[in-house]
């Protein structure tokens, strides 16, 4: 958990170089043909998402696309609960950064409508927020604003969403 917290902190601070070092040194990334450890199984979706976001920020779009592909493969597994939500979150985030609106929209739709999100309201809000971004890209401005506002203010803000303050401000500002 400490390793996850450290990586998560670097992710939120957009300290991409530091995050890449932590992921690499701590063995939190798993190559496609490696046999993962128990820790890697739990943290792999986070690690892939963190790596994809950092790769994008560092201009390594090829690596970000590969991480998106890895999450899409993982998303086809029969995942449930928080594991499924984290994978969908990663797909939506990296899809958004890479402007792959269809992939992002599908992940967001699945994330916001997931029945298990009754226990994870933050993920419902995150799904609604990303789905709002998808609607914005389709030109459905009023629907987009409603989804983004409701997702952030109703679900995310009180469930750990302050961590997404700058991201939501950026995309809602773009919408307005």
């Amino acid at each position: 958990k400490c390793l996850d917290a450290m990586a998560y902190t670097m992710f939120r601070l957009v300290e991409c170089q530091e995050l890449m070092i932590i992921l690499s040194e701590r063995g939190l990334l798993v190559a496609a043909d490696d046999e993962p450890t128990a820790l890697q199984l739990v943290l792999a979706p986070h690690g892939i998402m963190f790596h994809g976001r950092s790769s994008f920020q560092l201009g390594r779009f090829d690596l970000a696309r590969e991480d998106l592909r890895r999450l899409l493969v993982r998303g086809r597994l029969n995942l449930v609960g928080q594991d499924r939500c984290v994978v969908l979150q990663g797909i939506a985030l990296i899809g958004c950064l890479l402007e792959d609106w269809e992939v992002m929209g599908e992940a967001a739709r699945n994330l916001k409508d997931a029945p298990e999100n009754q226990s994870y309201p933050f993920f419902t809000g995150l799904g609604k927020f990303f789905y709002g971004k998808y609607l914005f890209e389709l030109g459905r401005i009023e629907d987009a604003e409603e989804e983004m506002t409701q997702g952030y203010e109703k679900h995310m803000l009180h469930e750990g969403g302050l961590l997404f303050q700058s991201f939501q401000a950026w995309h809602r500002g773009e919408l307005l």
Side-chain angles (χ1 to χ4, degrees):
K1 292 292 181 194
C2 178
L3 299 177
D4 190 26
M6 201 167 168
Y8 207 71
T9 300
M10 292 296 117
F11 177 73
R12 293 291 169 224
L13 294 173
V14 194
E15 291 290 339
C16 301
Q17 276 311 124
E18 280 298 311
L19 178 56
M20 298 292 257
I21 291 168
I22 290 168
L23 292 172
S24 174
E25 287 180 353
R26 305 294 170 94
L28 297 179
L29 292 175
V30 184
D33 55 353
D34 285 350
E35 186 65 34
T37 66
L39 178 66
Q40 289 169 328
L41 277 175
V42 171
L43 298 179
H46 280 109
I48 296 168
M49 178 178 60
F50 294 166
H51 188 267
R53 203 299 276 302
S54 295
S55 296
F56 178 86
Q57 297 288 55
L58 295 170
R60 294 297 312 273
F61 307 120
D62 57 328
L63 292 177
R65 285 188 209 301
E66 175 59 20
D67 289 326
L68 177 58
R69 186 198 63 73
R70 291 176 66 199
L71 286 169
L72 287 166
V73 168
R74 187 175 282 270
R76 290 185 199 111
L77 302 175
N78 192 20
L79 301 174
V80 295
Q82 191 171 8
D83 293 335
R84 181 170 184 256
C85 292
V86 170
V87 169
L88 291 170
Q89 173 189 357
I91 292 169
L93 175 64
I94 298 171
C96 182
L97 293 173
L98 293 172
E99 298 181 357
D100 191 335
W101 307 125
E102 291 305 315
V103 166
M104 182 199 72
E106 183 178 340
R109 189 179 307 104
N110 289 330
L111 187 57
K112 79 182 187 93
D113 294 337
E116 63 263 22
N117 283 357
Q118 304 274 331
S119 302
Y120 308 110
F122 172 79
F123 288 112
T124 298
L126 192 57
K128 290 180 80 54
F129 184 82
F130 278 114
Y131 192 68
K133 176 66 175 166
Y134 172 71
L135 294 174
F136 170 71
E137 294 302 326
L138 294 178
R140 295 175 50 192
I141 306 301
E142 291 171 8
D143 295 334
E145 185 175 9
E146 183 179 330
E147 285 284 327
M148 289 175 133
T149 301
Q150 188 181 79
Y152 186 74
E153 292 176 3
K154 185 176 179 186
H155 299 282
M156 294 171 64
L157 187 61
H158 303 291
E159 300 291 339
L162 289 176
L163 296 172
F164 279 89
Q165 182 66 32
S166 63
F167 188 79
Q168 72 89 25
W170 165 30
H171 287 286
R172 283 179 72 191
E174 187 177 275
L175 173 125
L176 297 172

